[in-house]
């Protein structure tokens, strides 16, 4: 059955709940644009906001959220530990900076942004400690492949509850998604619209026409029906609202399959294995 609201949440393996849809903030770089976007997102029903140390916008997201004047419990904030600050001590320190910039006492979800071989286990130890200290409610990873997750399992006291990875119709990462599901890890889709690359696909346009929806809405709906969490980004209030209006229709089995087979294993972002080895995005 179709979920009825954007505020729908799912239960994570650690018992916490997470909204199924959130708002991405990558590349939003000035206060005015951030204020407008966050205001529009809140009014459209988004309660989860995704940032990262690397985006260098935690310090404008914090005030943009403050201007809404809302109780902290109603929000779900995610940030990510950048490659350049990984390692035990550096991660512990860097997260203090994120909390300060975001003007909050805790994060709902903290992710290791990319796996880095050199700091792989030490960073995760810090993540576990930050959770034990109450600085973060849930801990997860981003851009981890099956082999990274298998490696982590050899030493982790607790496993990540979320794996945020690139996911859209041209890169549906089926094997990774199946693995995450089997291990009770929620897969969260970054670049859920393929950074616009999928928006002119003729098959998606046909399905969109049939439902009298936009291609973006069809793609986001497909992700939700696959039980992923999705975090589209936009700076336009009309698109922010449009992306949230996906809870009033269903894609049928045939439509879901037609979108599934658009997969081309085509990335818009970095290859996790290269970042793992080099410790750098390229
Ligand atoms: P995306 O959400 O797939 O696409 C964003 C692009 O699509 C923007 O150019 C936006 O333009 C446009 N857009 C949004 N809604 C639209 C609509 N309804 N119609 C037409 N165009 C639309 O890409 P993303 O920002 O890369 O990914 C989303 C979020 O995932 C990020 O913001 C970030 O929070 C997270 N992320 C995480 C990682 C990671 O390594 N963990 C990597 C990348 C991203 P306008 O802004 O001009 O509307």
């Amino acid at each position: 059955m179709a979920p009825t609201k954007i505020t729908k949440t799912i239960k994570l393996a650690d018992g916490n709940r997470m909204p199924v849809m959130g708002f991405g903030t990558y590349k939003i770089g000035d206060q005015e644009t951030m204020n407008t976007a966050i205001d529009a997102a809140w009014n459209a029903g988004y309660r989860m906001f995704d940032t990262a140390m690397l985006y260098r916008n935690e310090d404008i997201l914090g005030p943009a959220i403050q201007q809404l004047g809302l109780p902290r419990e109603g929000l779900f904030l995610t940030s990510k530990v950048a490659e350049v600050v990984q390692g035990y001590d550096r991660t512990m320190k860097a997260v203090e900076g994120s909390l300060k910039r975001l003007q909050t006492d805790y994060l709902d979800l903290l992710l290791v942004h990319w796996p880095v071989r050199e700091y792989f286990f030490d960073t995760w130890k810090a993540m576990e400690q930050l959770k034990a200290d109450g600085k973060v409610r849930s801990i997860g990873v981003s851009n981890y492949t099956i082999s990274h997750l298998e490696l982590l399992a050899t030493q982790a006291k607790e496993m990540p509850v979320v794996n945020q990875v690139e996911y859209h119709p041209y890169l549906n990462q089926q094997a990774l998604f199946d693995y995450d599901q089997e291990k009770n890890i929620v897969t969260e889709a970054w670049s859920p619209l393929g950074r616009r690359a999928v928006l002119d696909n003729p098959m998606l346009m046909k399905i969109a026409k049939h439902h009298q929806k936009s291609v973006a809405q069809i793609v986001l709906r497909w992700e939700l029906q696959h039980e992923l969490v999705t975090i589209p980004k936009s700076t336009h209030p009309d698109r922010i609202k449009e992306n949230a209006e996906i809870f009033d229709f269903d894609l049928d089995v045939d439509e879901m399959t037609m979108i599934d087979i658009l997969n081309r294993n085509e990335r818009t972002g970095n290859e996790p294995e290269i970042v793992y080895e080099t410790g750098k995005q390229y």
Side-chain angles (χ1 to χ4, degrees), residues 24-208:
T25 65
Y26 182 45
K27 287 204 191 287
I28 303 183
D30 68 89
Q31 191 69 63
E32 200 184 327
T33 309
M34 185 68 91
N35 287 352
T36 305
I38 296 305
D39 191 55
W42 178 265
N43 287 323
Y46 299 78
R47 297 295 178 261
M48 176 163 73
F49 300 95
D50 183 274
T51 182
M53 295 170 190
L54 194 94
Y55 303 168
R56 297 186 185 279
N57 65 11
E58 292 172 320
D59 61 337
I60 56 171
L61 178 58
I65 287 172
Q66 288 297 324
Q67 63 152 12
L68 298 172
L70 301 162
R72 175 67 182 86
E73 316 79 77
L75 296 164
F76 189 105
L77 292 182
T78 303
S79 194
K80 314 185 192 86
V81 179
E83 302 80 83
V84 289
V85 297
Q86 288 192 27
Y88 187 89
D89 291 339
R90 291 196 305 173
T91 298
M92 298 297 286
K93 189 160 168 235
V95 170
E96 289 300 334
S98 287
L99 293 174
K100 213 173 268 170
R101 289 187 291 274
L102 286 164
Q103 304 182 17
T104 183
D105 297 335
Y106 69 92
L107 293 169
D108 296 279
L109 178 64
L110 179 69
L111 306 175
V112 181
H113 203 150
W114 290 83
V116 175
R117 180 198 276 278
E118 195 177 351
Y119 305 113
F120 192 78
F121 293 113
D122 288 346
T123 304
W124 190 251
K125 267 195 204 110
M127 300 288 284
E128 290 173 332
Q129 190 58 49
L130 286 160
K131 181 166 180 267
D133 293 347
K135 305 273 181 188
V136 305
R137 298 263 159 101
S138 294
I139 50 175
V141 293
S142 178
N143 301 301
Y144 276 43
T145 62
I146 295 174
S147 17
H148 298 135
L149 292 167
E150 298 262 86
L151 181 64
L152 191 61
T154 62
Q155 292 194 25
K157 285 204 206 102
E158 49 186 301
M159 283 298 281
V161 293
V162 171
N163 188 14
Q164 187 186 106
V165 296
E166 182 175 350
Y167 186 103
H168 45 73
Y170 292 164
L171 182 75
N172 72 21
Q173 308 226 48
Q174 189 63 49
L176 177 60
F177 174 77
D178 291 344
Y179 180 87
D180 283 351
Q181 270 215 323
E182 189 194 310
K183 301 289 180 189
N184 207 3
I185 298 170
V186 168
T187 309
E188 183 176 15
W190 68 251
S191 292
L193 303 173
R195 292 183 177 152
R196 306 191 62 159
V198 301
L199 298 185
D200 60 357
N201 180 279
M203 175 62 74
L204 294 173
M205 287 165 84
K206 203 169 149 197
I207 298 173

